[in-house]
Amino acid sequence: MDQSQMSQPSAFATATTSNDRTMRLALTRARDESERLAAILLDRGFRCVITPVVKIVHLPVHPAEISGHQAILLTSGNAVEAMTTWNADRTLPVLCVGDATTTLARAAGYRDVRSAAGAVRDLAQLTADALAPGAGSLLYLSGDPVTGDLTGLLTAKGFTVQRQVVYRAEPMPALDPVAAGYFAARAVDGVLLYSPRSARLFASLLKRAGLGWATRSMTAYCISDAVAAAAPDWQAIVVAARPTQTDLLALLPKS
């Protein structure tokens, strides 16, 4: 990917032309996640406009407070960075909510990484199937806020879970200015939404920019029914068959 593009505020926003019929998608996840996703979508023939609705702020990790567990649980790739700063033992099992987080954990050198390929309930079930409550506590590295009650689900199955908040997802104050121009020009066809919170934040940022009407010219591609329920008035709403990125991207038309 061209380095000059990577350095721009909206790395994957490209100029529109009168003859350009390529589908353009808005990506609202944190910037690093959106850029990884945009690379996938560009390879599939889509154009992307990145406008994060949250900023990831990593928090200090104290290794002495989070050692001695039988496995690590992750519900977001944003926690992988924190995991690699304190844990030198790359043989410790890592159980992830989905394939994207699994890929990042493996890239960080962890050898025993498994994916639930779904949502929080799927991760709880994978954990119960793979591990024993009596074999030791579980370390859940999470953000703030979280979606779903992984700790409660596993506690009900007899596990001891220590949750450590290693990052915060702070709301952005405004839309990316380049992205706002695309919305104003009605040049965005759809938006990918991964959580109810991001759906609400995106709608709020559009309204704050005087672009609340823009949702009615876009399709909302939602990873779950809960996300769809949080979406405002869209031109169309479609929902993934399962709460995975693979199923979400399967909703997109062939380019």
Side-chain angles (χ1 to χ4, degrees), residues 138-205:
L138 306 173
L139 175 61
Y140 173 26
L141 299 179
S142 81
D144 180 30
V146 294
T147 300
D149 184 12
L150 181 60
T151 299
L153 291 170
L154 289 172
T155 299
K157 296 178 182 292
F159 288 93
T160 298
V161 181
Q162 179 181 341
R163 179 187 170 206
Q164 177 81 13
V165 177
V166 294
Y167 70 91
R168 288 195 306 269
E170 298 183 348
M172 294 291 285
L175 293 172
D176 177 278
V178 175
Y182 281 111
F183 296 131
R186 292 181 170 84
V188 180
D189 302 291
V191 58
L192 300 180
L193 297 172
Y194 282 75
S195 74
R197 184 184 186 226
S198 64
R200 291 190 291 267
L201 288 173
F202 182 54
S204 175
L205 290 175

Side-chain angles (χ1 to χ4, degrees), residues 53-68:
V53 299
V54 296
K55 177 178 68 173
I56 300 302
V57 178
H58 293 279
L59 304 176
V61 177
H62 304 288
E65 299 177 6
I66 53 177
S67 60

